[in-house]
Amino acid sequence: PLLGINDLNDIFQECKQFSAKWDMIGLNLGVASTTIAIINRDNANNCEQCMYHMLAKWLQRENEKCVPNWRSLCQSLCAEVGKSTADQIAEKYYVTDYSEEKELNDKEK
């Protein structure tokens, strides 16, 4: 199921421990680099606040590159913080196939 802005607090709770990598997670989620720069500027480099606002932009579908769901979030987290972390979140939210698309993309390279 698609996630929406009402899910922001739950998603932030899962992600805030990775706030130091908020910008790379955001880029993996399809948030535009210009949006990332604005969020960074507006939040005075406060990583947790930046993570929160980046996730809000993703959930508001500021782009159509990445559908806001647990699967795409797990894919992004896997790329930036590791598979074991993504697996824990995937298990909690019943995401069973988040790594398949990435594996296919890796094979095509």
Side-chain angles (χ1 to χ4, degrees), residues 3 7-22 25 29 48 51-52 54-55 58-59 69-74 76-78 80-82 84-95:
L3 298 170
D7 299 302
L8 178 58
N9 287 329
D10 290 337
I11 296 166
F12 179 67
Q13 290 306 311
E14 296 293 346
C15 294
K16 74 178 177 179
Q17 63 185 318
F18 313 116
S19 292
K21 296 186 175 201
W22 75 271
I25 293 168
L29 290 172
E48 280 194 14
M51 175 69 90
Y52 184 87
M54 177 277 294
L55 291 169
W58 174 60
L59 291 170
N69 59 29
W70 287 109
R71 182 176 190 265
S72 55
L73 182 62
C74 287
S76 180
L77 291 174
C78 183
E80 293 306 319
V81 298
S84 63
T85 299
D87 284 348
Q88 291 172 0
I89 294 172
E91 184 176 331
K92 184 174 181 178
Y93 294 97
Y94 307 103
V95 178

Side-chain angles (χ1 to χ4, degrees), residues 5 8 12 19 21-27 29-63:
I5 198 69
L8 178 58
F12 179 67
S19 292
K21 296 186 175 201
W22 75 271
D23 51 348
M24 295 306 297
I25 293 168
L27 290 171
L29 290 172
V31 178
S33 59
T34 52
T35 301
I36 298 279
I38 291 167
I39 290 170
N40 193 44
R41 181 198 68 209
D42 290 351
N43 293 282
N45 297 316
N46 178 320
C47 290
E48 280 194 14
Q49 286 296 312
C50 289
M51 175 69 90
Y52 184 87
H53 291 288
M54 177 277 294
L55 291 169
K57 289 293 187 186
W58 174 60
L59 291 170
Q60 293 167 348
R61 294 176 183 86
E62 292 284 317
N63 67 79

